[in-house]
Amino acid sequence: MPNQTKNVFISHIHKDDEGLTDLKNLLKSKGMDVRDSSITNDKPNNANSPEYIKSAILGPRIDWAGCMIVYISPETKNSEWVNWEIERAHKQDKTIVGVWERGANGCEVPEALDEYGHAIVGWNADKIIDAINGDYEGFEGPDGTPSPQRAIHRHPCG
């Protein structure tokens, strides 16, 4: 398989920054080079205004990416920022892929990921790459076993 380069935004909480490096290295080992536009401790934003952060920093980075990866750890579901980032990606019609942190035992996923995610996969490079490319839309637990399909949220037409 030839090398692929993908522009992604990895939605996560900052205590999981180290896991992002592991994720990018996992994908690189299978020929996918990930150009990540997310904010990490290595490239922090020093802004204080949530509206400025959303409109001038995070929004353009999400818009630039072709795909959003949501790094799922136990505290991800409680992050207002992660849910906002997922909703922004959804409004931009981005592919949204949840990836369980390496060694995860399972936890609740962010509400927006449950509603808008295209796939949730375990720590498996081939499945993550397939999901990023839109070739896999399954929902898995951290160990890679199939999860029950999420509930379909129906919205009445106006």
Side-chain angles (χ1 to χ4, degrees):
M1 164 197 242
N3 272 10
Q4 300 181 57
T5 300
K6 292 288 182 177
N7 297 339
V8 303
F9 183 94
I10 304 176
S11 184
H12 67 289
I13 60 172
H14 282 294
K15 81 174 206 52
D16 293 333
D17 280 358
E18 193 172 303
L20 273 54
T21 301
D22 293 343
L23 175 60
K24 290 184 267 191
N25 288 338
L26 176 70
L27 298 175
K28 191 172 193 104
S29 75
K30 293 289 186 164
M32 180 173 276
D33 184 31
V34 172
R35 295 192 313 179
D36 174 22
S37 64
S38 64
I39 302 292
T40 63
N41 289 325
D42 293 341
K43 48 182 178 179
N45 92 68
N46 296 315
N48 294 317
S49 162
E51 286 312 310
Y52 176 81
I53 293 168
K54 289 175 181 178
S55 66
I57 299 173
L58 294 176
R61 289 166 178 263
I62 292 167
D63 298 350
W64 168 86
C67 172
M68 173 173 282
I69 297 172
V70 180
Y71 188 84
I72 308 167
S73 68
E75 294 174 39
T76 310
K77 73 171 176 63
N78 297 322
S79 171
E80 291 177 30
W81 289 102
V82 168
N83 278 295
W84 180 86
E85 291 165 354
I86 295 166
E87 289 169 8
R88 172 76 178 225
H90 170 70
K91 288 175 184 167
Q92 299 286 324
D93 291 323
K94 308 286 183 191
T95 298
I96 301 169
V97 176
V99 176
W100 293 102
E101 81 176 320
R102 181 189 209 159
N105 293 322
C107 56
E108 290 182 53
V109 300
E111 191 175 310
L113 178 60
D114 185 48
E115 186 158 350
Y116 303 124
H118 295 90
I120 298 178
V121 296
W123 196 259
N124 176 311
D126 293 324
K127 280 212 179 140
I128 297 167
I129 290 169
D130 284 348
I132 289 170
N133 289 328
D135 298 328
Y136 180 77
E137 292 191 347
F139 293 83
E140 302 178 346
D143 62 357
T145 58
S147 290
Q149 284 294 71
R150 66 179 187 225
I152 297 174
H153 298 277
R154 303 242 182 246
H155 301 282
C157 296

